[in-house]
Amino acid sequence: MARATRRRRPPSTPSAEASTASQCEAVLAEAQQLTTDVSALATRFTTDPLGALAAVPGIVDRVTTLGDQVTDPELAAHVDAISTVATGAIDEAQTAISQGDTQGAIDALTNAAIEVEPAVAALQEYCAAQ
């Protein structure tokens, strides 16, 4: 008598929506922390310019790797918008500091914190719909 063999179903994979939702959660948390860090960096340049300058490479690394795990194209576009503002501000701040212009660095980072708000809001809106 032949035994019927049961086929095992492959483990279920998360839907694209779940994947995008989990990516959103991770990116939102990191984007909000980066916004806080860039704002704090502006303040730190007034009290500890060398310490602030030393913190810049770590923030740059976090900004440039923010979207590394993102597979959703629309989410990636939102992440890119945030990264572009943050990277531009950090570049401006570093240039200002290299020219001895601490106030220029503070202004660049302060403006970035303001300019990145709409990009973060758009990211939050997109993620809320996921």
Side-chain angles (χ1 to χ4, degrees), residues 55-81:
V56 168
I59 292 174
V60 169
D61 287 346
R62 288 176 40 220
V63 168
T64 57
T65 60
L66 182 61
D68 284 359
Q69 302 302 315
V70 173
T71 57
D72 177 87
E74 193 168 345
L75 178 58
H78 288 291
V79 169
D80 188 49

Side-chain angles (χ1 to χ4, degrees), residues 11-23 71-72 130:
S12 61
T13 57
S15 67
E17 293 80 21
S19 179
T20 298
S22 64
Q23 290 175 36
T71 57
D72 177 87
Q130 299 308 309

Side-chain angles (χ1 to χ4, degrees), residues 2-99:
R3 287 179 51 186
T5 55
R6 290 176 90 181
R7 290 188 140 191
R8 296 179 92 189
R9 284 194 277 178
S12 61
T13 57
S15 67
E17 293 80 21
S19 179
T20 298
S22 64
Q23 290 175 36
C24 272
E25 187 177 308
V27 168
L28 272 173
E30 185 65 18
Q32 289 168 338
Q33 185 59 52
L34 280 168
T35 301
T36 300
D37 291 349
V38 169
S39 294
L41 199 56
T43 302
R44 192 168 178 193
F45 267 112
T46 61
T47 59
D48 180 18
L50 294 177
L53 201 53
V56 168
I59 292 174
V60 169
D61 287 346
R62 288 176 40 220
V63 168
T64 57
T65 60
L66 182 61
D68 284 359
Q69 302 302 315
V70 173
T71 57
D72 177 87
E74 193 168 345
L75 178 58
H78 288 291
V79 169
D80 188 49
I82 293 167
S83 297
T84 299
V85 171
T87 302
I90 290 169
D91 289 346
E92 282 182 47
Q94 286 180 306
T95 299
I97 287 295
S98 71
Q99 297 170 350

